[in-house]
Amino acid sequence: MKYDSLIIGSGPCAFNIAEELLKTNMNMMLVCKDQDDASFKARVAGYPDSTQLKILQDAEVMACSGQVGRYNVILRNGQKTISQVVKTIIVAEKDDYQPNFASYQLKPNQQVLSFSAMQACMPENGDEQWPVNEDVKHILFLNGIASESVAHMLEDMMRLCLRLQSSGNIQTYIFTRNLKVAGNGIESLYHQTKDAGTLFIKFTTTSPEIVQTQTGDVQVSYQDEITGQLFQLQPDLTVVDETIKPNDTLTSLGATLGLKQDSNGFLQTDNVHRLSVLTNRKGIFTMGPSRSIMSSGAQRLEARNAAAAVVKLLNEDLNRDEDNKAAIDTSVCVKCLTCLRLCPYKAIELNPQPIVTPEACEGCSICVAECPALAIQMMGMTVADMMDRFQSEIQDAASESFEPQLACFCCSRSAARAKELAETLSFNLPAGLRIAEVPCAGAISLNHILSTLRQNVDAIIVLTCHPDNCHSEVGQQMVNHRIARIQQLLPQIGLDPERLMIRSLASNMGAEFAHILAEQANIIRKIGPNPIKGSH
Amino acid sequence: MDNSKKNVTIIGGGVAGLTTAIELSQYSFQVDVIEKSPFLGGHGIQYACKATDRCVKCGACVVEEKLKTAAALSSIRLHTESQIEKITQSKTYSVSLLKRPAFINPTKCTNCGICFQRCPADAINRGFSTGNQPLFAISKNKCLYFKDGSCTLCASKCPEDAITLTAAETTESFNSDAIVLATGFQPYNPEKKPYGYHRFVNVITNLELEQMLRRHSVAQRPSDGQAPGKIAFIQCVGSRDAKLNHLWCSKVCCGSALRMARLIRSRQPEIEISFFYIDVQSFGKNFEAFYREAQNEIEMIRSIPADIYPAEDDSLRAIYYDSSTRQSHEPIFDLVILSIGMLPNPDNSQHTEMFGLKSDPFGFWSYESSSALTNGKGVFTVGAANGPMSIAETVIQAEQTAWQVYNDLVIESNNAP
């Protein structure tokens, strides 16, 4: 049996997406690492095994091969090992809340709790009062003092303070730096909480001095920054905020699935092209706390994004646009595996020769540019194709004065659109400008550059997406390395390195496109015509 | 999946409406997008890219991409300068549109810009993007032809004969299976604040700075076009304001202002920037690092100026109370940027009534409640009309809303016994 989707995760998010996809006629396997946790058990109990949903407990993904539509996943399930083919994969692991005790030099005890522990003590029913012992009169919440907090944690904290204040004999305090109210209803809630008597103390340049005595009591001294007055506070209970970290299984899971992580360790790079649940691999999605820090409400709603992503993908014709896919000529390939290593989309498989999976190929042409044996082709990307594009736009050199001929490589996602915008908004562009649009700047090879220098051009401009905005993640970096290498070599063949310029742009930077081109045209006007032009 | 006989009407052609339209077309729906202004893309299409040495995820390029994609899809019909005349519901919705006269024929116009350059009354507006077709629109309020019939210069100068000043309003009607409200936000008008907006020429809003950076790449003083020596950003103008009963945070302005401030510093490093704020809100996945770096480049002042007075040479004196020294200060700035709040669209109340929607006390629809509508099926809300949100959040919500439409119109009817 081939499942439509494999869902990985033990938390609420994994069950939310299963729930959402159960509405469709898809079938799924849900792989959960947990087995003993009570809330997990309760969740599993809600889903009897059916043909549509199979839940594996005490299970994890050990290996994954194949591609979109036919991922072959090796799973450990208890003592057993299972092999399963699935069309798509959804990573929906829960997040990890780590109390910031150490940042405040506090040790947890009966008077010092993490915020999660405090929430767990509260009765489920919102109307009931906290069964606190009568001695607890002052409760201090530390939020975002040691590191920046997030809006949903403040929101939950204020809701809790409201309940505690309503008991009538508890005074709550929230100590914070930046009060994170960026969320629907949070500013209103802040006013409501303040009106209910919670004291908010904000710190900017100073910090509260927090001391935990031998007996475990907490003593706080602080300065009110507005009046300058000094205060002492001895809370009966101190509640410490938490840092939200990615689940610690994500690193190995990412490596197994070939997914790129962001700098925090979440399984989605911080790249606008991945909105909302996309990864660098087609058919593998990442949602909720597996891709970013988010509130439980936002996590719940993301089940819709993930369900939509799966449904749209399974209805998509993955073989359309077949002309714009790379292909490896096996008779030329020397199996160096450069392509396998570099493909940002992991679209190259070993079978046993390296081959491109067309369904997964995004047509960035990075492999074409990097293949040392020149064994990979993509339509329109040969050196001859590229030179044709420059040739076809050659201007008549009728004018008397020297007008630099500028060959400009533009990424189709950014600079080529910026050029259109510059034209639309009537910016002046140099007369000698010629454009070659490429699917990704990472497609521009050493050969493209060197061959262009021998055309009837005076300078080359390579325009990429901004770092971290490259659809193929590394294309922009790779072409920067290539250009830096060529710039070092240019003086050796008697060329000014300024004849080769690389810049990054976005699709909406029409003005900047015009500025960059004007600047380069001016530089070339000063240094004169390319001495080797037309030497091919 | 063949849903091509099902139609969805989207009211609002900003990033929320356009993204929802693109998503719906991926489920094979036919989509009509109704935009009242002449230009699609909403506020977002006017924003500048704020990348410094790398992308800072402001999302402005996403709006560009969505507009281009939506304009290219044959399953989406885009109606600009259009508004709903009437919507009635029987089994489906029957939608009547009133379309303002198409003075500039989009099929003839080549965007040459001659009308824009020649108009003596500044009555021709230009769009912001290649995706704005036609790129020009005639503003009836300013046009001399509509004032006294004295001028027809644009029509006579147009080389394509694309301008017809006598064009009439048209109407159009169609049936729709669902309505998506993507009416966006209304920027707060800061004229009543003591900052001299519209009185002092060098006081502008963050939206005007976006347009300036998009158009000129750099910060300029409107008074003389020169680079300012010192810029002040004032946050929360019209947001988090109990006196106005605006008890909400506009959520995106800290990110937008700090990104613009850092962009200006990267391009014009000689400019000094002060940032007046109440609390800095988190934005983006890498907020802590971004904020740390921002604090090194920008003077962060936790105070909101009480007043702004004109000073010499069109510069401005801002008065604020510095709590660290417990004194008032009066620094001089060459340019002041007001980060104005996002208000609910004034059209919302009419839709709230027409469709029996729930809204919060301030007039934003609540997305969570709209997705479980009580008034029957077929009306959905999306984007900043549900409360201030970033471009990225809007795109995420648009995907969710399109999924809800698909769920209601297709999945549930398939699952019905």
Side-chain angles (χ1 to χ4, degrees):
Chain A
M1 170 153 187
K2 186 172 174 180
Y3 285 98
D4 290 310
S5 206
L6 178 81
I7 302 166
I8 304 166
S10 308
C13 221
F15 287 83
N16 289 341
I17 175 62
E19 178 87 12
E20 202 66 33
L21 283 175
L22 279 172
K23 294 177 186 169
T24 69
N25 52 11
M26 287 191 194
N27 53 43
M28 296 152 269
M29 179 178 262
L30 173 53
V31 177
C32 312
K33 208 171 179 185
D34 286 6
Q35 50 176 338
D36 297 330
D37 177 77
S39 63
F40 171 75
K41 277 185 174 165
R43 254 181 240 124
V44 174
Y47 297 92
D49 260 2
S50 69
T51 50
Q52 240 195 308
L53 177 63
K54 167 90 184 153
I55 301 179
L56 296 185
Q57 300 178 47
D58 184 23
E60 62 188 317
V61 176
M62 307 302 289
C64 175
S65 59
Q67 291 288 353
V68 56
R70 49 172 180 83
Y71 283 111
N72 191 1
V73 184
I74 310 295
L75 300 159
R76 178 192 65 76
N77 183 197
Q79 304 295 318
K80 285 184 298 184
T81 302
I82 302 170
S83 169
Q84 180 63 53
V85 179
V86 297
K87 292 181 189 168
T88 62
I89 298 173
I90 304 168
V91 182
E93 269 300 356
K94 57 191 171 189
D95 38 20
D96 185 7
Y97 279 61
Q98 295 179 358
N100 295 329
F101 293 124
S103 320
Y104 300 113
Q105 271 108 46
L106 290 173
K107 288 200 177 73
N109 60 23
Q110 283 195 324
Q111 293 114 294
V112 178
L113 296 179
S114 73
F115 182 51
S116 295
M118 177 71 186
Q119 277 181 306
C121 297
M122 296 297 287
E124 293 272 321
N125 184 346
D127 297 333
E128 286 176 48
Q129 297 307 326
W130 188 41
V132 68
N133 71 53
E134 306 250 313
D135 301 338
V136 175
K137 298 246 185 315
H138 297 271
I139 306 181
L140 169 63
F141 290 83
L142 297 171
N143 182 33
I145 298 280
S147 56
E148 292 288 318
S149 184
V150 292
H152 70 260
M153 194 172 296
L154 174 70
E155 183 179 10
D156 291 345
M157 237 173 226
M158 293 194 298
R159 289 196 195 288
L160 214 151
C161 285
L162 270 183
R163 286 178 66 184
L164 294 167
Q165 287 292 137
S166 69
S167 70
N169 49 19
I170 295 175
Q171 175 62 51
T172 54
Y173 304 80
I174 293 181
F175 278 24
T176 188
R177 288 194 189 281
N178 285 311
L179 193 74
K180 303 288 180 178
V181 290
N184 285 0
I186 305 184
E187 174 76 3
S188 288
L189 180 65
Y190 164 56
H191 283 266
Q192 205 186 333
T193 314
K194 214 163 56 166
D195 292 346
T198 299
L199 284 174
F200 287 82
I201 312 291
K202 291 200 213 173
F203 297 90
T204 315
T205 48
T206 66
S207 298
E209 203 175 299
I210 303 165
V211 180
Q212 193 169 22
T213 63
Q214 294 286 340
T215 57
D217 292 341
V218 176
Q219 293 175 347
V220 183
S221 42
Y222 66 94
Q223 184 184 34
D224 182 300
E225 289 189 4
I226 295 170
T227 60
Q229 269 184 290
L230 295 171
F231 289 94
Q232 301 280 337
L233 179 66
Q234 276 182 294
D236 306 308
L237 184 62
T238 303
V239 181
V240 170
D241 62 354
E242 290 159 294
T243 301
I244 305 168
K245 296 273 191 194
N247 193 293
D248 59 10
T249 61
L250 289 187
T251 299
S252 64
L253 186 60
T256 306
L257 298 178
L259 303 182
K260 293 190 190 295
Q261 288 176 283
D262 71 7
S263 56
N264 301 312
F266 290 101
L267 275 188
Q268 185 186 52
T269 53
D270 190 7
N271 184 328
V272 292
H273 296 291
R274 301 290 175 253
L275 286 174
S276 57
V277 295
L278 305 180
T279 67
N280 55 305
R281 296 204 71 184
K282 196 162 273 184
I284 305 187
F285 306 105
T286 174
M287 61 177 288
S290 291
R291 69 172 193 89
S292 189
I293 293 173
M294 62 181 76
S295 69
S296 56
Q299 291 182 24
R300 203 170 53 247
L301 291 168
E302 271 217 352
R304 297 174 185 175
N305 298 85
V310 171
V311 167
K312 285 187 293 181
L313 183 93
L314 294 181
N315 279 294
E316 191 182 327
D317 174 12
L318 294 175
N319 287 312
R320 77 178 144 73
D321 204 18
E322 60 185 346
D323 290 339
N324 290 317
K325 310 277 183 184
I328 302 176
D329 181 343
T330 47
S331 66
V332 184
C333 171
V334 297
K335 305 178 192 66
C336 68
L337 308 187
T338 303
C339 54
L340 183 80
R341 187 167 50 83
L342 290 179
C343 176
Y345 306 104
K346 303 279 173 211
I348 314 260
E349 280 184 280
L350 283 179
N351 186 26
Q353 305 241 38
I355 52 159
V356 177
T357 307
E359 300 93 303
C361 175
E362 297 270 1
C364 68
S365 203
I366 287 176
C367 58
V368 181
E370 283 289 324
C371 177
L374 306 180
I376 313 182
Q377 286 93 40
M378 207 180 93
M379 201 178 75
M381 293 313 296
T382 66
V383 169
D385 290 335
M386 207 67 81
M387 295 316 112
D388 281 351
R389 270 179 252 184
F390 288 134
Q391 290 298 336
S392 64
E393 289 185 44
I394 269 191
Q395 311 276 323
D396 282 338
S399 87
E400 303 256 311
S401 64
F402 166 57
E403 181 56 35
Q405 299 295 300
L406 306 173
C408 184
F409 289 92
C410 292
C411 170
S412 62
R413 292 181 193 274
S414 52
R417 306 286 76 81
K419 181 223 170 208
E420 286 176 359
L421 183 59
E423 288 171 339
T424 301
L425 299 180
S426 312
F427 282 101
N428 288 327
L429 298 178
L433 175 64
R434 291 175 256 159
I435 302 281
E437 193 171 321
V438 291
C440 168
I444 304 160
S445 67
L446 293 172
N447 279 338
H448 287 142
I449 299 292
L450 295 173
S451 303
T452 307
L453 278 173
R454 295 190 305 168
Q455 302 290 310
N456 186 26
V457 304
D458 299 300
I460 299 176
I461 301 126
V462 173
L463 296 176
T464 74
C465 296
H466 290 302
D468 295 348
N469 193 295
C470 176
H471 187 281
S472 30
E473 313 275 0
V474 293
Q476 176 274 337
Q477 288 168 27
M478 293 180 69
V479 73
N480 265 282
H481 290 310
R482 288 179 211 140
I483 298 296
R485 270 169 65 198
I486 303 174
Q487 279 169 332
Q488 283 179 346
L489 296 174
L490 286 182
Q492 295 173 32
I493 53 169
L495 288 184
D496 193 318
E498 288 198 292
R499 290 191 191 278
L500 179 55
M501 172 195 251
I502 183 160
R503 290 280 188 279
S504 63
L505 271 185
S507 59
N508 52 0
M509 295 175 78
E512 290 80 1
F513 181 90
H515 296 165
I516 289 170
L517 269 297
E519 180 194 343
Q520 183 67 345
N522 279 336
I523 291 171
I524 303 304
R525 273 189 205 105
K526 275 184 208 133
I527 61 177
N530 171 9
I532 63 161
K533 77 176 166 186
S535 63
H536 60 295
Chain B
M1 101 184 104
D2 181 21
N3 304 315
S4 56
K5 292 198 180 70
K6 291 204 162 76
N7 176 287
V8 182
T9 296
I10 299 177
I11 303 177
V15 65
L18 293 172
T19 310
T20 310
I22 295 165
E23 292 293 315
L24 287 169
S25 79
Q26 292 181 15
Y27 302 110
S28 309
F29 292 112
Q30 295 293 313
V31 186
D32 283 272
V33 177
I34 320 297
E35 169 58 43
K36 67 178 174 184
S37 87
F39 306 117
L40 292 159
H43 293 98
I45 201 68
Q46 306 172 34
Y47 295 171
C49 169
K50 297 167 201 74
T52 48
D53 62 335
R54 55 191 52 250
C55 171
V56 294
K57 288 88 185 178
C58 72
C61 61
V62 175
V63 186
E64 203 80 28
E65 188 197 321
K66 296 296 179 194
L67 176 53
K68 187 179 161 64
T69 308
L73 285 168
S74 59
S75 52
I76 302 177
R77 294 197 303 166
L78 299 167
H79 309 266
T80 51
E81 301 218 54
S82 300
Q83 60 193 62
I84 302 285
E85 193 180 34
K86 201 170 62 184
I87 295 184
T88 52
Q89 185 186 13
S90 52
K91 201 171 175 205
T92 60
Y93 291 95
S94 130
V95 179
S96 306
L97 284 190
L98 190 62
K99 300 178 121 180
R100 283 194 287 283
F103 301 120
I104 302 178
N105 183 334
T107 54
K108 286 186 180 173
C109 174
T110 60
N111 296 345
C112 71
I114 290 175
C115 56
F116 179 67
Q117 290 152 16
R118 298 296 295 272
C119 175
D122 200 16
I124 301 202
N125 295 323
R126 183 166 69 170
F128 309 93
S129 161
T130 321
N132 292 135
Q133 288 295 344
L135 184 65
F136 301 98
I138 295 175
S139 158
K140 244 176 135 174
N141 299 338
K142 289 188 187 167
C143 177
L144 300 177
Y145 175 81
F146 293 102
K147 198 171 166 193
D148 51 17
S150 64
C151 174
T152 54
L153 190 67
C154 57
S156 61
K157 291 291 174 194
C158 177
E160 308 299 328
D161 211 10
I163 302 184
T164 314
L165 293 167
T166 52
E169 273 184 352
T170 53
T171 54
E172 192 174 336
S173 301
F174 46 87
N175 287 330
S176 208
D177 298 277
I179 310 283
V180 177
L181 300 169
T183 46
F185 70 94
Q186 159 106 342
Y188 173 70
N189 178 351
E191 280 176 352
K192 287 193 177 136
K193 287 278 164 186
Y195 301 138
Y197 181 67
H198 279 165
R199 278 188 291 133
F200 310 140
V201 64
N202 290 330
V203 176
I204 63 172
T205 67
N206 54 338
L207 301 186
E208 288 162 335
L209 180 65
E210 291 268 13
Q211 293 176 16
M212 180 190 287
L213 291 172
R214 186 173 171 115
R215 179 74 193 141
H216 304 291
S217 305
V218 291
Q220 301 174 339
R221 276 166 42 113
S223 61
D224 54 11
Q226 297 299 304
K230 285 183 79 181
I231 301 180
F233 282 82
I234 303 179
Q235 298 302 104
C236 299
V237 179
S239 318
R240 304 191 65 189
D241 189 325
K243 275 189 200 146
L244 294 171
N245 195 31
H246 289 182
L247 296 185
W248 68 86
C249 162
S250 291
K251 216 176 168 183
V252 302
C253 345
C254 282
S256 142
L258 283 174
R259 284 167 174 139
M260 287 197 284
R262 293 196 65 199
L263 174 68
I264 292 169
R265 288 275 309 169
S266 79
R267 290 188 180 157
Q268 297 164 282
E270 63 289 351
I271 296 180
E272 291 173 30
I273 298 180
S274 301
F275 187 88
F276 293 93
Y277 71 101
I278 304 173
D279 297 287
V280 176
Q281 302 304 319
S282 306
F283 49 90
K285 279 178 128 182
N286 225 352
F287 170 73
E288 288 223 23
F290 184 94
Y291 183 41
R292 221 173 14 249
E293 288 165 31
Q295 286 168 303
N296 294 332
E297 295 175 5
I298 298 162
E299 186 191 20
M300 304 293 290
I301 302 174
R302 197 173 199 173
S303 176
I304 296 294
D307 227 331
I308 286 183
Y309 293 104
E312 261 174 58
D313 187 27
D314 286 322
S315 58
L316 304 147
R317 183 187 302 276
I319 300 174
Y320 75 96
Y321 177 76
D322 176 7
S323 60
S324 64
T325 58
R326 278 166 274 288
Q327 276 175 352
S328 277
H329 292 285
E330 302 188 6
I332 306 258
F333 296 98
D334 301 295
L335 180 64
V336 171
I337 315 296
L338 307 178
S339 284
I340 52 174
M342 294 164 83
L343 273 48
N345 191 315
D347 295 347
N348 282 13
S349 54
Q350 165 204 339
H351 296 304
T352 301
E353 201 172 317
M354 186 180 345
F355 298 114
L357 301 174
K358 279 185 197 159
S359 69
D360 75 9
F362 314 110
F364 291 112
W365 293 313
S366 150
Y367 175 64
E368 293 252 21
S369 72
S370 81
S371 51
L373 278 175
T374 50
N375 69 328
K377 293 213 184 297
V379 181
F380 304 82
T381 62
V382 65
N386 287 331
M389 64 177 72
S390 68
I391 292 166
E393 286 171 296
T394 304
V395 168
I396 291 169
Q397 198 175 82
E399 288 181 12
Q400 295 169 0
T401 300
W403 171 256
Q404 287 300 98
V405 175
Y406 173 67
N407 188 59
D408 277 23
L409 295 190
V410 180
I411 299 177
E412 291 203 358
S413 61
N414 288 350
N415 292 349

